[in-house]
Amino acid sequence: MAHLAKLGGLTDELLTSLTSKSSKTEAAKSNAQKESALRAFRYNNYARTNQFDVASQLEGLEEKFRVYNEDPLADALKERVDKVMKLQSKWTPEILHLLLELSDRPLQNSKLED
Amino acid sequence: MPPAESSKDIQQVRQIIDVFHEISTLLNANLDRHTLSICISLIENGVNPEALATVIKELKRDGEETMRQVEQNEG
């Protein structure tokens, strides 16, 4: 029960963080969004994160940056990934998996100055 | 020495979030630091990353839709 409450609280924070920039949605819509998010978190058919797949996707992306002459981006990515692997957080593969899922055409859109 | 340890822990957590945020920017994942910290907490509480990514994309789509409606009503 405590776990559910914690998940609910974090989901609330996520909703506020992602929707506050647009304008406050009505309470009913917000509740529906929360219910839907919690359902997705608790009952889903996604496979567990495979750390080797994640590593291979990141290596592939680094290689793609190099092929398209974006060596500074490739170097920056490699440096950060190596660093995060050294810090050895238990959830590193899962967090990297999330970032890869959310990644939106980094070759075209990512700029090192950002 | 709990305070020293906990401040060291906090510093390490901050450092980890900083690096993940830099990776997020390089991958163009469109997550600010605060949202990323919430996502990390959700993952630490057992939420599947793919399920979380799906929810984030839906919420962003909803947010953009609401923005468009507000702009249309104002304009």
Side-chain angles (χ1 to χ4, degrees), chain B residues 42-61:
Chain B
L42 280 164
I43 286 174
E44 284 172 349
N45 277 280
V47 170
N48 180 287
E50 236 174 308
L52 180 54
T54 308
V55 167
I56 290 173
K57 285 177 197 167
E58 274 174 25
L59 288 174
K60 280 185 174 171
R61 256 200 306 274

Side-chain angles (χ1 to χ4, degrees), chain A residues 49-91:
Chain A
T49 297
N50 180 331
Q51 57 174 322
F52 301 106
D53 279 349
V54 170
S56 143
Q57 278 187 58
L58 286 165
E59 275 169 26
L61 193 58
E62 186 199 325
E63 200 176 317
K64 191 174 175 183
F65 282 151
R66 293 198 193 282
V67 167
Y68 284 91
N69 282 327
E70 293 285 359
D71 286 322
L73 271 180
D75 292 340
L77 181 64
K78 187 175 171 20
E79 186 192 319
R80 267 75 178 185
V81 171
D82 288 350
K83 202 169 170 183
V84 101
M85 292 299 186
K86 267 190 210 138
L87 289 169
Q88 290 200 332
S89 149
K90 185 185 168 191
W91 300 98

